[in-house]
Amino acid sequence: MSLILYLVFLVALAITVNANTEKLIFLGPSAITIPNVHPGLDDLRLDTLSPTGQHTLETQLTVKFPTEAEPRGLQSWYLIEGLQEGRRYELRICWAATQPTKFWLDVHQITEVFETPLLISSLATYSERRQELGLEDPEYTKAGSSTLSKSVLFLQLHSAADFFSSNRTLMEFPPAVDVDIILDPYLFNILPRSLGPTAIYIAILAVGSWFLSGVIHTWLSSIEATPKPHTD
Ligand SMILES: *[C@@H]1O[C@H](CO)[C@@H](O)[C@H](O)[C@H]1NC(C)=O
């Protein structure tokens, strides 16, 4: 039995290792028709996440300490494509505990962004800064930019440094943070897909341990039932 307890402990440990995670659960919006005009969504040159394509983005995020004007630090924007209407998705951002940071995740419908001055100006600023810094994919192509009906969302990410150091340099220029941004579709809208194997494993373990405890119980009873030879 102790072996099983040990295994359960290992699984629990494996799940809790990603301690620094911020997540957001949302539903796929209804598809909208995006006209093939320029400038269009592709011209924003945002990194794109998609459940069928790239669903994990390993990147470095610049951060800054919160100010009165920007209480949530810096903003970055991403496009989430290829969603299914009504399906549940989980979006996670994971980062190392050695780089204390605060993150805020928000998803917005396209129309909401284009109708909200604050959002559209933030998106435009980010897109321009990205293109100036040459951060966009050099192998970027305009392929696939045809008139399509798509279920799309914008991801707005805020990142603020969250530490104190007596080192002036660090306080003025907090180092960029390595993050993984992960898009995880739910299975049957109840369980994130990435947890599927763990769930199956735990289920097998539970059933297995139930049978094993039965076997051990029978075995122990059989030992008790066996008359011991007298030694006197
Ligand atoms: C402050 O931090 C920077 C960047 O990590 C480092 O290069 C520098 O040596 C540090 N200064 C002091 C006084 O520790």
Side-chain angles (χ1 to χ4, degrees):
M1 281 314 261
S2 67
L3 175 70
I4 288 166
L5 278 181
Y6 176 69
L7 283 177
V8 170
F9 175 71
L10 269 191
V11 172
L13 202 66
I15 296 170
T16 50
V17 158
N18 280 337
N20 280 355
T21 302
E22 197 63 54
K23 68 179 180 183
L24 176 72
I25 294 167
F26 61 92
L27 296 178
S30 49
I32 56 163
T33 303
I34 299 159
N36 184 17
V37 291
H38 288 286
L41 282 185
D42 289 342
D43 296 287
L44 291 166
R45 311 270 182 110
L46 301 178
D47 278 329
T48 303
L49 287 163
S50 160
T52 49
Q54 187 183 36
H55 50 81
T56 302
L57 195 65
E58 286 176 35
T59 186
Q60 261 202 342
L61 285 179
T62 42
V63 292
K64 69 184 233 179
F65 284 96
T67 58
E68 224 161 87
E70 293 168 300
R72 291 177 169 191
L74 291 178
Q75 301 190 25
S76 46
W77 287 80
Y78 307 85
L79 205 57
I80 309 176
E81 298 192 321
L83 301 171
Q84 277 171 28
E85 181 178 350
R87 184 161 186 187
R88 197 181 298 262
Y89 296 89
E90 184 176 283
L91 200 64
R92 286 191 301 275
I93 180 160
C94 309
W95 68 101
T98 48
Q99 298 185 294
T101 317
K102 272 203 172 131
F103 292 102
W104 291 264
L105 300 163
D106 292 290
V107 287
H108 303 286
Q109 305 240 12
I110 292 188
T111 44
E112 183 195 350
V113 171
F114 284 92
E115 283 163 9
T116 315
L118 212 60
L119 294 178
I120 190 73
S121 70
S122 159
L123 171 59
T125 311
Y126 175 74
S127 172
E128 271 165 34
R129 186 171 56 126
R130 223 175 119 76
Q131 290 176 45
E132 271 165 25
L133 293 178
L135 286 178
E136 83 261 40
D137 192 348
E139 282 162 33
Y140 172 83
T141 56
K142 284 224 161 61
S145 58
S146 54
T147 312
L148 273 179
S149 185
K150 297 196 223 178
S151 181
V152 187
L153 284 172
F154 278 118
L155 163 65
Q156 180 191 27
L157 180 64
H158 284 86
S159 46
D162 188 31
F163 62 87
F164 179 79
S165 165
S166 54
N167 182 325
R168 280 274 265 302
T169 322
L170 280 180
M171 290 308 279
E172 267 173 50
F173 309 100
V177 179
D178 295 312
V179 299
D180 285 353
I181 306 173
I182 300 157
L183 177 66
D184 204 358
Y186 267 54
L187 294 173
F188 313 111
N189 276 4
I190 49 172
L191 191 77
R193 186 168 65 187
S194 63
L195 278 186
T198 315
I200 292 168
Y201 180 60
I202 289 176
I204 291 173
L205 217 58
V207 172
S209 61
W210 187 75
F211 276 111
L212 192 62
S213 70
V215 170
I216 291 172
H217 181 77
T218 318
W219 180 60
L220 285 178
S221 334
S222 74
I223 291 177
E224 263 170 26
T226 315
K228 288 191 190 119
H230 283 280
T231 47
D232 54 349

